[in-house]
CSV table of all heavy atoms in Angstrom, one decimal:
chain,number,residue,atom,x,y,z
A,20,GLU,N,-28.0,-5.8,-15.6
A,20,GLU,CA,-29.0,-6.9,-15.5
A,20,GLU,C,-28.3,-8.1,-15.0
A,20,GLU,O,-28.8,-8.8,-14.0
A,20,GLU,CB,-29.7,-7.2,-16.9
A,20,GLU,CG,-31.1,-6.9,-16.9
A,20,GLU,CD,-31.7,-7.2,-18.2
A,20,GLU,OE1,-31.7,-8.4,-18.6
A,20,GLU,OE2,-32.0,-6.2,-18.9
A,21,LYS,N,-27.2,-8.6,-15.6
A,21,LYS,CA,-26.6,-9.8,-15.0
A,21,LYS,C,-25.1,-9.6,-14.8
A,21,LYS,O,-24.3,-9.3,-15.8
A,21,LYS,CB,-26.7,-10.9,-16.1
A,21,LYS,CG,-26.2,-12.3,-15.7
A,21,LYS,CD,-26.7,-13.4,-16.6
A,21,LYS,CE,-26.3,-14.6,-16.0
A,21,LYS,NZ,-25.6,-15.5,-16.9
A,22,LEU,N,-24.7,-9.7,-13.7
A,22,LEU,CA,-23.3,-9.5,-13.3
A,22,LEU,C,-22.6,-10.9,-13.5
A,22,LEU,O,-23.1,-11.9,-13.1
A,22,LEU,CB,-23.1,-9.2,-11.8
A,22,LEU,CG,-23.7,-7.8,-11.5
A,22,LEU,CD1,-23.7,-7.5,-10.0
A,22,LEU,CD2,-23.0,-6.7,-12.1
A,23,GLU,N,-21.3,-10.9,-14.0
A,23,GLU,CA,-20.6,-12.1,-14.2
A,23,GLU,C,-19.0,-11.9,-13.9
A,23,GLU,O,-18.6,-10.7,-14.0
A,23,GLU,CB,-20.6,-12.5,-15.7
A,23,GLU,CG,-22.0,-12.9,-16.3
A,23,GLU,CD,-22.0,-13.3,-17.8
A,23,GLU,OE1,-20.9,-13.4,-18.3
A,23,GLU,OE2,-23.1,-13.3,-18.3
A,24,VAL,N,-18.4,-12.9,-13.4
A,24,VAL,CA,-17.1,-12.8,-13.1
A,24,VAL,C,-16.3,-12.5,-14.4
A,24,VAL,O,-16.6,-13.0,-15.5
A,24,VAL,CB,-16.5,-14.2,-12.6
A,24,VAL,CG1,-15.0,-14.2,-12.5
A,24,VAL,CG2,-17.1,-14.4,-11.2
A,25,GLY,N,-15.3,-11.5,-14.3
A,25,GLY,CA,-14.6,-11.0,-15.5
A,25,GLY,C,-15.1,-9.7,-16.1
A,25,GLY,O,-14.4,-9.1,-16.8
A,26,MET,N,-16.4,-9.3,-15.7
A,26,MET,CA,-16.8,-8.0,-16.1
A,26,MET,C,-16.0,-6.9,-15.6
A,26,MET,O,-15.5,-6.9,-14.4
A,26,MET,CB,-18.4,-7.8,-15.7
A,26,MET,CG,-19.3,-8.8,-16.4
A,26,MET,SD,-21.0,-8.6,-15.9
A,26,MET,CE,-21.5,-7.3,-17.0
A,27,ALA,N,-15.7,-5.8,-16.3
A,27,ALA,CA,-15.0,-4.7,-15.8
A,27,ALA,C,-15.9,-3.5,-15.9
A,27,ALA,O,-16.7,-3.4,-16.7
A,27,ALA,CB,-13.8,-4.5,-16.8
A,28,PHE,N,-15.6,-2.6,-14.9
A,28,PHE,CA,-16.3,-1.4,-14.7
A,28,PHE,C,-15.4,-0.2,-14.5
A,28,PHE,O,-14.3,-0.4,-13.9
A,28,PHE,CB,-17.3,-1.5,-13.5
A,28,PHE,CG,-18.4,-2.6,-13.7
A,28,PHE,CD1,-18.3,-3.8,-13.4
A,28,PHE,CD2,-19.6,-2.2,-14.2
A,28,PHE,CE1,-19.2,-4.7,-13.5
A,28,PHE,CE2,-20.6,-3.1,-14.5
A,28,PHE,CZ,-20.4,-4.4,-14.1
A,29,ARG,N,-15.8,1.0,-14.9
A,29,ARG,CA,-15.0,2.2,-14.4
A,29,ARG,C,-15.6,2.7,-13.2
A,29,ARG,O,-16.8,2.7,-12.9
A,29,ARG,CB,-15.2,3.3,-15.4
A,29,ARG,CG,-14.2,3.2,-16.5
A,29,ARG,CD,-13.5,4.5,-16.7
A,29,ARG,NE,-12.5,4.7,-17.6
A,29,ARG,CZ,-11.2,4.4,-17.4
A,29,ARG,NH1,-10.9,3.8,-16.4
A,29,ARG,NH2,-10.3,4.6,-18.2
A,30,ALA,N,-14.8,3.0,-12.2
A,30,ALA,CA,-15.2,3.4,-10.8
A,30,ALA,C,-14.2,4.6,-10.4
A,30,ALA,O,-13.3,5.0,-11.2
A,30,ALA,CB,-15.1,2.3,-9.9
A,31,GLN,N,-14.4,5.0,-9.2
A,31,GLN,CA,-13.6,6.1,-8.7
A,31,GLN,C,-12.9,5.6,-7.4
A,31,GLN,O,-13.5,4.9,-6.6
A,31,GLN,CB,-14.4,7.3,-8.3
A,31,GLN,CG,-14.7,8.3,-9.5
A,31,GLN,CD,-15.2,9.6,-8.9
A,31,GLN,OE1,-15.6,9.7,-7.7
A,31,GLN,NE2,-15.2,10.6,-9.8
A,32,SER,N,-11.6,5.9,-7.4
A,32,SER,CA,-10.8,5.5,-6.2
A,32,SER,C,-11.2,6.4,-5.0
A,32,SER,O,-12.0,7.3,-5.2
A,32,SER,CB,-9.4,5.4,-6.5
A,32,SER,OG,-8.9,6.9,-6.7
A,33,THR,N,-10.7,6.0,-3.8
A,33,THR,CA,-11.1,6.9,-2.7
A,33,THR,C,-10.6,8.3,-2.8
A,33,THR,O,-11.2,9.2,-2.1
A,33,THR,CB,-10.5,6.2,-1.4
A,33,THR,OG1,-9.1,6.1,-1.6
A,33,THR,CG2,-11.1,4.9,-1.1
A,34,ASP,N,-9.5,8.6,-3.6
A,34,ASP,CA,-9.1,9.9,-3.8
A,34,ASP,C,-9.7,10.5,-5.1
A,34,ASP,O,-9.2,11.6,-5.6
A,34,ASP,CB,-7.6,9.9,-3.9
A,34,ASP,CG,-7.0,9.2,-5.0
A,34,ASP,OD1,-7.7,8.6,-5.8
A,34,ASP,OD2,-5.8,9.2,-5.2
A,35,GLY,N,-10.8,9.9,-5.7
A,35,GLY,CA,-11.5,10.5,-6.8
A,35,GLY,C,-11.0,10.2,-8.1
A,35,GLY,O,-11.5,10.8,-9.1
A,36,GLN,N,-10.0,9.4,-8.2
A,36,GLN,CA,-9.3,9.1,-9.5
A,36,GLN,C,-10.1,8.0,-10.2
A,36,GLN,O,-10.6,7.1,-9.4
A,36,GLN,CB,-7.8,8.7,-9.3
A,36,GLN,CG,-6.9,9.9,-8.8
A,36,GLN,CD,-6.9,11.0,-9.8
A,36,GLN,OE1,-6.7,10.8,-10.9
A,36,GLN,NE2,-7.1,12.1,-9.2
A,37,PRO,N,-10.2,8.1,-11.5
A,37,PRO,CA,-10.9,7.0,-12.2
A,37,PRO,C,-10.0,5.7,-12.1
A,37,PRO,O,-8.8,5.7,-12.2
A,37,PRO,CB,-10.9,7.4,-13.7
A,37,PRO,CG,-10.0,8.5,-13.9
A,37,PRO,CD,-9.8,9.1,-12.5
A,38,ILE,N,-10.7,4.6,-12.0
A,38,ILE,CA,-10.0,3.2,-11.8
A,38,ILE,C,-10.9,2.2,-12.4
A,38,ILE,O,-12.1,2.3,-12.5
A,38,ILE,CB,-9.8,3.0,-10.2
A,38,ILE,CG1,-9.0,1.7,-10.1
A,38,ILE,CG2,-11.1,2.9,-9.5
A,38,ILE,CD1,-8.7,1.4,-8.6
A,39,GLU,N,-10.3,1.2,-13.1
A,39,GLU,CA,-10.9,0.1,-13.7
A,39,GLU,C,-11.0,-1.0,-12.6
A,39,GLU,O,-10.0,-1.4,-12.1
A,39,GLU,CB,-10.4,-0.4,-14.9
A,39,GLU,CG,-11.3,-1.3,-15.6
A,39,GLU,CD,-11.0,-1.4,-17.2
A,39,GLU,OE1,-10.9,-0.4,-17.8
A,39,GLU,OE2,-10.8,-2.6,-17.6
A,40,VAL,N,-12.2,-1.5,-12.4
A,40,VAL,CA,-12.3,-2.8,-11.5
A,40,VAL,C,-12.9,-3.9,-12.3
A,40,VAL,O,-13.6,-3.7,-13.2
A,40,VAL,CB,-13.2,-2.3,-10.3
A,40,VAL,CG1,-12.6,-1.2,-9.4
A,40,VAL,CG2,-14.6,-2.0,-10.7
A,41,GLU,N,-12.5,-5.1,-11.7
A,41,GLU,CA,-13.0,-6.3,-12.4
A,41,GLU,C,-13.7,-7.2,-11.5
A,41,GLU,O,-13.2,-7.3,-10.2
A,41,GLU,CB,-11.8,-7.1,-13.0
A,41,GLU,CG,-12.2,-8.4,-13.6
A,41,GLU,CD,-11.1,-9.2,-14.1
A,41,GLU,OE1,-9.9,-8.7,-14.2
A,41,GLU,OE2,-11.3,-10.4,-14.6
A,42,ILE,N,-14.8,-7.7,-11.7
A,42,ILE,CA,-15.5,-8.7,-10.8
A,42,ILE,C,-14.7,-10.0,-10.8
A,42,ILE,O,-14.4,-10.6,-11.9
A,42,ILE,CB,-16.9,-9.0,-11.4
A,42,ILE,CG1,-17.8,-7.7,-11.3
A,42,ILE,CG2,-17.6,-10.1,-10.5
A,42,ILE,CD1,-19.2,-7.8,-11.8
A,43,ILE,N,-14.3,-10.3,-9.6
A,43,ILE,CA,-13.4,-11.6,-9.5
A,43,ILE,C,-14.2,-12.8,-8.9
A,43,ILE,O,-13.7,-13.9,-8.9
A,43,ILE,CB,-12.1,-11.4,-8.7
A,43,ILE,CG1,-12.3,-10.8,-7.3
A,43,ILE,CG2,-11.2,-10.4,-9.6
A,43,ILE,CD1,-11.0,-10.6,-6.6
A,44,ASP,N,-15.4,-12.4,-8.1
A,44,ASP,CA,-16.1,-13.4,-7.4
A,44,ASP,C,-17.6,-13.0,-7.2
A,44,ASP,O,-17.8,-11.8,-7.0
A,44,ASP,CB,-15.5,-13.9,-6.2
A,44,ASP,CG,-16.1,-15.1,-5.6
A,44,ASP,OD1,-16.3,-16.1,-6.2
A,44,ASP,OD2,-16.5,-15.1,-4.2
């Protein structure tokens, strides 16, 4: 619903590995 700077998400890297990403802007 509401995206905020500092929120973290699990995603997949280009090679399919799990990666944690953080909203920085």
Side-chain angles (χ1 to χ4, degrees):
E20 249 179 69
K21 185 170 188 227
L22 297 172
E23 296 180 12
V24 170
M26 290 177 88
F28 295 89
R29 274 230 175 280
Q31 277 192 344
S32 65
T33 54
D34 61 359
Q36 295 298 313
I38 185 173
E39 189 162 306
V40 299
E41 179 183 353
I42 295 176
I43 59 171
D44 188 47

